[in-house]
Amino acid sequence: MIFLKAFVVGGLICVAVQILMDRTNFKVTPGHVLVGLVTAGVVLSAVGAYEPFVKFAGAGATVPLSGFGHILAQGAIKGVQSGGLLGAFNGAVAAAAGGITAAVVFGYFAALLFKPKG
Amino acid sequence: MPAEKKVGAQTVAFAKPPVVSATAAIAGAKEGQGPLADTFDKVIDDPYCGEDSWERAERRLLQEALEMALKKAGLKPRDVDYLLAGDLLNQIISANFAARALAIPFIGLYGACSTIYEGLAVGAMLIDGGFAEKVLVGSSSHYATAEKQFRFPTEQGVQRTPTAQWTVTGAGALILTATGTGPRVTHATIGRVVDLGAGDPYNMGAAMAPAAADTMVHHFTDTRRRVADYDLLLTGDLGFYGKTLLEELMRSYGHDIAERHNDCGILIFDRENQDVHAGGSGCGCPATVTCGLIMRRLRERKLNRVLGVGTGALLSPLTTGQGETIPTVGHAVVLES
């Protein structure tokens, strides 16, 4: 059941953004979408609205870009609790370290295996 | 006193119309699968053209087209007075590097996608002005170099908008001579830079249509000709939306061009089946279509008089990033069989 929920919820986030891009004649660019979803995730997470969403949809809520915003927000909150104001800055990136490192590592190996010349 | 060969505000009429004595059109794989496949002299299926970067691939395309035009005309590089060439990359590197290999006195041109027509106009002026007997003209573009230069890395897989056009991978070259047999260049109308405030780099056709209209209207006024005097009014790379817009604009100026107008960007691809959105674009688009299909039709006398208008969007990634609108230009040349 969680797979179905993840598929539907994750898909709906993408569909909503695609419709937004199409309906605005691509005035909303992929760049806007990237920043907008991450920011929306941060805000929703900060006010406590994203966590129930993650409980309901699992990866359907954590894999889209808004899930990255959620991780940043939660990391910042935990960072403040343990390390004060500085923790707000350290905590966010520390919580997202897995995703960031994976991007660097996979990017590195893809560049070794293929010819990135685009 | 106005110049002897100048007609009206923007047009020149050549006293002894220079001859297009040889042409070469080389295209990439996607273009080779399109409706104009059999009009190209050569289709190179490898997007790298045997080189190790896209930029080297594009310059290989241009150099091969220039060499092929020379060979067809039976000329050696030293027989040619000037090479006029340009492309879309920073500092026109494809043209500069191809010129390095040929060692012909070189005049680099930048008219964005209008370059082949700018070259035709300037080359014909050099010849009819008595400054040259033989001029080699060429221009090129490559899908992957243009994406890198103007848009996003192709690996990023950014969605293309419905109005986006597909940059043609290809190069066209032609030899202009003072005498000989072949289609002749009788007039040239040099375009003004026009900017009606379009700023979307994914909708170049709409940005360039007003420049094409401006040049066409001035051409008709200067020469006192009408649409019916031409078998074909050919624009460079307006694509589907730009073509529609140009026809509307021309109607508002009192010229109904729809029946006789076509666009290289529409001719070169099968829009339904090749997923090119609004059509083809890039220097290679008017260059390969003009040096291939159009010159062949003129030689066969299936077309007798063509007004070709090369259209160029004179933006850079920097100006787009700074939110500037897109200045555009259209250069027109009359070709007769």
Side-chain angles (χ1 to χ4, degrees):
Chain A
M1 193 59 190
I2 186 69
F3 288 110
L4 183 68
K5 283 197 250 178
F7 176 77
V8 171
V9 170
L12 281 176
I13 293 175
C14 299
V15 166
V17 174
Q18 185 69 55
I19 290 172
L20 181 70
M21 286 169 70
D22 287 348
R23 287 286 159 164
T24 55
N25 220 351
F26 280 74
K27 288 278 180 288
V28 174
T29 65
H32 292 126
V33 168
L34 191 149
V35 176
L37 276 179
V38 173
T39 309
V42 169
V43 172
L44 287 174
S45 180
V47 299
Y50 210 84
E51 192 57 41
F53 190 44
V54 171
K55 286 214 172 73
F56 174 74
T62 56
V63 171
L65 285 160
S66 50
F68 188 71
H70 171 58
I71 291 171
L72 290 176
Q74 292 306 315
I77 291 168
K78 287 200 188 83
V80 169
Q81 285 161 356
S82 61
L85 185 60
L86 196 63
F89 294 91
N90 291 334
V93 179
I100 294 169
T101 308
V104 172
V105 169
F106 292 128
Y108 178 81
F109 282 108
L112 283 183
L113 290 172
F114 301 100
K115 290 202 283 184
K117 288 178 177 168
Chain B
M1 196 181 106
E4 194 185 329
K5 292 171 188 170
K6 188 116 183 266
V7 185
Q10 287 173 231
T11 304
V12 291
F14 299 114
K16 289 181 192 155
V19 177
V20 181
S21 53
T23 58
I26 300 182
K30 193 179 179 78
E31 294 70 22
Q33 290 156 8
L36 300 188
D38 68 345
T39 67
F40 303 130
D41 294 288
K42 187 175 175 184
V43 172
I44 299 180
D45 285 324
D46 172 18
Y48 279 105
C49 302
E51 301 285 348
D52 63 2
S53 74
W54 302 123
E55 287 71 22
R56 281 176 176 240
E58 181 179 335
R59 105 185 39 136
R60 160 75 42 204
L61 278 172
L62 180 58
Q63 196 181 321
E64 277 202 28
L66 294 168
E67 285 168 352
M68 188 183 284
L70 282 171
K71 196 176 165 202
K72 281 189 178 184
L75 297 173
K76 295 264 176 284
R78 66 171 176 276
D79 302 326
V80 176
D81 298 301
Y82 300 104
L83 165 62
L84 307 182
D87 57 276
L88 288 172
L89 305 185
N90 281 343
Q91 287 80 42
I92 55 167
I93 48 172
S94 308
N96 292 342
F97 283 65
R100 176 179 70 181
L102 288 170
I104 300 168
F106 171 60
I107 300 173
L109 300 178
Y110 188 82
C113 310
S114 73
T115 301
I116 195 78
Y117 278 90
E118 188 181 2
L120 264 166
V122 175
M125 286 179 189
L126 285 172
I127 289 175
D128 197 47
F131 303 104
E133 276 284 308
K134 299 179 181 73
V135 174
L136 176 58
V137 183
S139 188
S140 65
S141 58
H142 190 296
Y143 174 77
T145 62
E147 288 296 304
K148 191 198 282 188
Q149 169 91 59
F150 290 99
R151 298 177 189 100
F152 294 98
T154 45
E155 292 97 336
Q156 201 179 328
V158 170
Q159 284 184 25
R160 293 156 44 72
T161 71
T163 53
Q165 290 169 248
W166 190 279
T167 304
V168 165
T169 299
L174 52 89
I175 304 261
L176 280 170
T177 49
T179 54
T181 53
R184 291 165 304 138
V185 183
T186 63
H187 296 74
T189 304
I190 302 296
R192 308 188 290 186
V193 176
V194 174
D195 184 346
L196 292 193
D200 181 2
Y202 281 103
N203 193 358
M204 302 278 212
M208 294 189 294
D214 189 70
T215 301
M216 268 191 191
V217 168
H218 277 96
H219 177 81
F220 289 138
T221 310
D222 291 348
T223 57
R224 300 186 183 183
R225 284 182 178 171
R226 295 170 305 131
V227 174
D229 292 320
Y230 293 94
D231 301 321
L232 172 68
L233 305 166
L234 180 77
T235 44
D237 59 343
L238 297 182
F240 180 75
Y241 297 102
K243 178 179 189 284
T244 313
L245 193 56
L246 173 67
E247 288 167 6
E248 266 176 43
L249 277 169
M250 290 303 289
R251 209 168 294 129
S252 75
Y253 290 123
H255 299 282
D256 193 354
I257 64 166
E259 267 185 30
R260 289 167 190 258
H261 175 230
N262 215 326
D263 183 76
C264 299
I266 288 171
L267 289 165
I268 195 165
F269 290 122
D270 177 346
R271 192 166 160 251
E272 296 296 318
N273 298 315
Q274 289 193 290
D275 193 30
V276 292
H277 296 210
S281 68
C283 292
C285 179
T288 53
V289 174
T290 305
C291 295
L293 176 78
I294 302 303
M295 290 299 176
R296 178 190 286 190
R297 292 266 167 89
L298 283 162
R299 282 187 211 109
E300 291 169 349
R301 298 186 188 273
K302 284 179 182 155
L303 287 170
N304 287 314
R305 189 189 276 163
V306 176
L307 180 67
V309 187
T311 45
L314 306 175
L315 78 173
S316 86
L318 182 73
T319 60
T320 303
Q322 293 179 339
E324 300 279 353
T325 55
I326 305 173
T328 60
V329 73
H331 295 301
V333 158
V334 177
L335 298 164
E336 288 189 16
S337 61

